[in-house]
Amino acid sequence: MTAAAAAPLSDNQLLLLARLAQCAPLRYTPAGLAVQDMLLEHASQQFEAGHLRHVTLTLKAVAFGEQAQQLSRLALGTRLRCAGFLAAAYRGKGVVFHLQHFEPIDH
């Protein structure tokens, strides 16, 4: 049995290569958990309906705990390989990418 078969993917999982475009100051919840709010920018080319399409987007994102602390130390413009899930933004206005894992990438 493969690892993928042993641990099926969630119905809400996002993998994204993006650039760290903005970071709010690191903040803490009342319970003391670190929170990093940020904006990520993505640009790529994708095939859709047999045609090449240029895709660009800016996405609100958030990380908690150790991930938040690590992200707060990165320079703006750092390229990241991100994994996480989407959730409704505060008061249901839009979506937020909740980063569960990330790694800086070169190039």
Side-chain angles (χ1 to χ4, degrees):
M1 181 181 298
T2 67
L9 294 178
S10 170
D11 289 339
N12 182 357
Q13 182 174 351
L14 178 64
L15 302 174
L16 186 70
L17 296 180
R19 183 180 72 81
L20 186 58
Q22 290 181 18
C23 273
L26 186 67
R27 63 184 175 88
Y28 292 86
T29 67
L33 186 63
V35 181
Q36 180 63 66
D37 295 298
M38 69 205 91
L39 286 179
L40 300 175
E41 291 180 345
H42 168 83
S44 65
Q45 292 187 17
Q46 304 294 324
F47 276 99
E48 183 175 41
H51 298 285
L52 191 61
R53 175 182 176 179
H54 186 70
V55 176
T56 60
L57 63 93
T58 300
L59 185 61
K60 291 180 184 179
V62 65
F64 294 90
E66 181 60 31
Q67 298 286 330
Q69 292 174 346
Q70 291 174 10
L71 280 161
S72 73
R73 294 189 289 267
L74 294 178
L76 293 181
T78 300
R79 291 177 38 90
L80 303 170
R81 178 174 288 112
C82 305
F85 62 93
L86 296 176
Y90 182 69
R91 297 188 183 175
K93 297 185 181 195
V95 297
V96 176
F97 182 19
H98 285 247
L99 273 69
Q100 295 174 303
H101 304 285
F102 76 92
E103 62 183 66
I105 54 176
D106 295 328
H107 61 276

